[in-house]
């Protein structure tokens, strides 16, 4: 007996991904403070980084230096990643 299997290409499927289960193999440095995340999350956060990964899959870190007026928001970056 063949079961019916449902397939769907929808952004709503993203909400069911177990993102916390992916290897935290990518480091984002914000003002020299390291934040570990997965490459998948890093690519979602930055379309430019995602493009870089197409040409160089070995990239495992990126450094960000916010403008002076954005410095206080940096403290919330870990919450943002979570």
């Amino acid at each position: 007996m063949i079961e019916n299997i449902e397939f769907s290409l929808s952004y709503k499927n993203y909400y069911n991904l177990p993102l916390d289960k992916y290897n935290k193999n990518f480091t984002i440095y914000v003002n020299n403070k390291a934040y570990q995340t997965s490459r998948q999350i890093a690519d979602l956060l930055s379309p430019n980084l995602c493009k870089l990964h197409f040409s160089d899959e070995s990239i495992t870190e990126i450094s960000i230096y916010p403008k002076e007026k954005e410095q206080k928001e940096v403290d919330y970056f870990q919450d943002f990643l979570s």
Side-chain angles (χ1 to χ4, degrees):
M1 181 174 182
I2 298 175
E3 293 182 36
N4 289 335
I5 299 173
E6 184 177 329
F7 290 95
S8 172
L9 294 175
S10 169
Y11 71 91
K12 293 177 184 177
N13 292 343
Y14 170 78
Y15 295 112
N16 296 322
L17 289 175
L19 296 175
D20 58 325
K21 304 290 185 194
Y22 290 109
N23 290 330
K24 295 191 175 186
N25 54 3
F26 195 87
T27 306
I28 300 173
Y29 293 95
V30 181
N31 285 338
N32 297 319
K33 184 174 179 182
Y35 298 92
Q36 294 295 127
T37 191
S38 68
R39 179 178 157 178
Q40 291 86 350
I41 295 295
D43 285 353
L44 286 171
L45 290 174
S46 172
N48 291 332
L49 182 58
C50 186
K51 287 177 188 176
L52 281 174
H53 276 139
F54 278 105
S55 61
D56 186 354
E57 293 183 24
S58 68
I59 297 171
T60 60
E61 60 185 43
I62 190 169
S63 295
I64 301 170
Y65 298 96
K67 297 176 184 174
E68 190 173 321
K69 66 181 181 177
E70 298 168 343
Q71 294 294 325
K72 65 181 179 179
E73 283 86 13
V74 170
D75 294 337
Y76 301 106
F77 194 71
Q78 184 61 55
D79 295 332
F80 177 70
L81 286 177
S82 297

